[in-house]
């Protein structure tokens, strides 16, 4: 998890808040370049708590030009969710197939206007 939902500083960190935000902003911009990851982050931002992989895949497939839900689930499991987990934007339990969004609240404006990232 990169930060708390109110955008505060990370505990135990000596990096100033502005530098953290710049790093998160850069990582978020990179993540948002991919349409599937963008849909994942937007869906998780709208959902409080955890979501099962199958539910997430169905939601992403709906918004991804009708792509096959099973194919999306495979891509999420093997590619997109691990990448998002590496950035700290999601927590993904691959054994339970459960995903939790961990973006700070201030990133919401980026999720709502992905072309501005």
């Amino acid at each position: 998890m990169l930060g708390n939902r109110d955008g505060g500083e990370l505990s135990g960190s000596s990096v100033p808040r502005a530098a953290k935000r710049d790093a998160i902003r850069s990582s978020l911009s990179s993540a948002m370049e991919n349409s599937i990851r963008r849909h994942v982050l937007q869906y998780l931002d709208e959902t409080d708590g955890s979501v099962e992989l199958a539910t997430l895949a169905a939601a992403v497939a709906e918004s991804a030009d009708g792509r096959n839900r099973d194919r999306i689930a495979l891509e999420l499991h093997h590619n997109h969710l691990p990448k998002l987990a590496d950035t700290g934007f999601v927590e993904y339990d691959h054994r339970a197939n459960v995903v939790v969004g961990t973006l700070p609240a201030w990133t919401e404006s980026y999720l709502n206007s992905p072309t501005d990232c």
Side-chain angles (χ1 to χ4, degrees), residues 43-105:
Y43 182 83
L44 292 173
D45 185 57
E46 297 167 2
T47 306
D48 288 330
S50 62
V51 63
E52 292 184 3
L53 177 62
T55 302
L56 180 59
V60 171
E62 272 185 32
S63 59
D65 300 324
R67 291 180 58 190
N68 181 287
R69 182 179 52 126
D70 293 334
R71 176 75 179 160
I72 294 284
L74 283 171
E75 290 179 28
L76 289 172
H77 178 76
H78 292 288
N79 182 15
H80 301 295
L81 294 176
K83 285 183 180 182
L84 291 171
D86 286 346
T87 64
F89 296 151
V90 303
E91 292 177 2
Y92 178 48
D93 181 341
H94 67 277
R95 291 188 178 130
N97 286 324
V98 174
V99 184
V100 178
T102 57
L103 285 169

Side-chain angles (χ1 to χ4, degrees), residues 22-67:
D22 288 344
I24 293 169
R25 201 173 278 132
S26 176
S27 294
L28 182 59
S29 178
S30 179
M32 296 290 283
E33 290 175 357
N34 180 279
S35 64
I36 291 177
R37 288 193 288 272
R38 183 172 51 249
H39 291 303
V40 166
L41 293 173
Q42 289 169 333
Y43 182 83
L44 292 173
D45 185 57
E46 297 167 2
T47 306
D48 288 330
S50 62
V51 63
E52 292 184 3
L53 177 62
T55 302
L56 180 59
V60 171
E62 272 185 32
S63 59
D65 300 324
R67 291 180 58 190

